[in-house]
Amino acid sequence: MATSAVPAAVDALLAILRAAPALADVLVVDGPPSVNLTDRRVVYVGWQPGGEAAVTLEQDFASAGARTMDETFEISGYAEVRSGDKDMADRRRAVFELVAAIETALRATDANPTAPTLNGTVLWSHLTTGNLAQIQSEGSLAGLAFVIACRARI
C-alpha cells in the first residue's frame, strides 16, 4: 500500500506536460531552476519563486474501519516567459497562454483520457490558482505561479 500518491502524481504531471503538443517548445523542469536562466519559456513543476513547499498535502481516513485514506494535495508550479525587449503586454499574454496550455493538457481528450487523473495516479486534478509577477530590467519577464490541486485514495 502506498503512503502517498504524491511521487507518482508529480511524475505523471511532468510526463503529461512534456508530451503536450502545445508545450513542445517549452522547457519543463522538475523542481527549482538551475543557474542557467537563458531559456525564454519555462514551466517549473514543484517550485514557485519565494515558495518553500513543492507539494502540500493532507491525509485522513476515507471511512470508518481505517482501511483506506483520502489524500488531498497541491503541486506548486511556475510558468515564466522572458524576452530581451520591454513589451510587458506580450510577456503577460504569453505567460497566460502557457498556463492555458498546462490547464488544457490536464483535460481529458481522446488521445489522453486519463489526463485529469494524472494517468491514474489520482482521482482528479485541476489547475486552481495563480499569481502574476512582472519584471522589467534588461528585458521583460512575466511569471505566473500556479497550483495543481489533486485528490487521491490510498
Side-chain angles (χ1 to χ4, degrees), residues 6-18 26-35 39 41-48 53-55 75-78 146:
V6 169
V10 171
D11 290 347
L13 176 58
L14 286 161
I16 288 167
L17 297 182
R18 288 175 175 155
V26 175
L27 176 64
V28 177
V29 178
D30 184 356
S34 64
V35 178
D39 292 294
R41 294 167 41 92
V42 184
V43 170
Y44 299 96
V45 174
W47 180 80
Q48 292 178 345
V55 177
I75 303 170
S76 298
Y78 180 69
F146 60 89

Side-chain angles (χ1 to χ4, degrees), residues 19-150:
L23 299 172
D25 66 338
V26 175
L27 176 64
V28 177
V29 178
D30 184 356
S34 64
V35 178
N36 182 358
L37 298 175
T38 59
D39 292 294
R40 301 292 184 177
R41 294 167 41 92
V42 184
V43 170
Y44 299 96
V45 174
W47 180 80
Q48 292 178 345
E52 294 182 18
V55 177
T56 58
L57 64 113
E58 186 174 309
Q59 295 179 350
D60 202 355
F61 288 113
S63 61
R67 294 184 186 271
T68 58
M69 302 271 298
D70 283 334
E71 181 176 51
T72 56
F73 55 94
E74 295 181 338
I75 303 170
S76 298
Y78 180 69
E80 180 178 280
V81 176
R82 58 176 65 224
S83 178
D85 64 39
K86 300 281 188 176
D87 191 340
M88 188 55 71
D90 277 352
R91 298 304 81 70
R92 187 172 42 250
R93 274 190 299 277
V95 79
F96 273 92
E97 289 169 1
L98 189 53
V99 172
I102 294 166
E103 196 275 332
T104 299
L106 293 177
R107 292 186 183 201
T109 64
D110 290 339
N112 192 357
T114 62
T117 66
L118 298 180
N119 296 338
T121 61
V122 298
L123 298 172
W124 55 258
S125 69
H126 64 283
L127 196 143
T128 59
T129 62
N131 293 300
L132 176 66
Q134 301 180 138
I135 300 169
Q136 291 273 15
S137 63
E138 299 286 321
S140 56
L141 177 149
L144 189 59
F146 60 89
V147 170
I148 306 293
C150 304

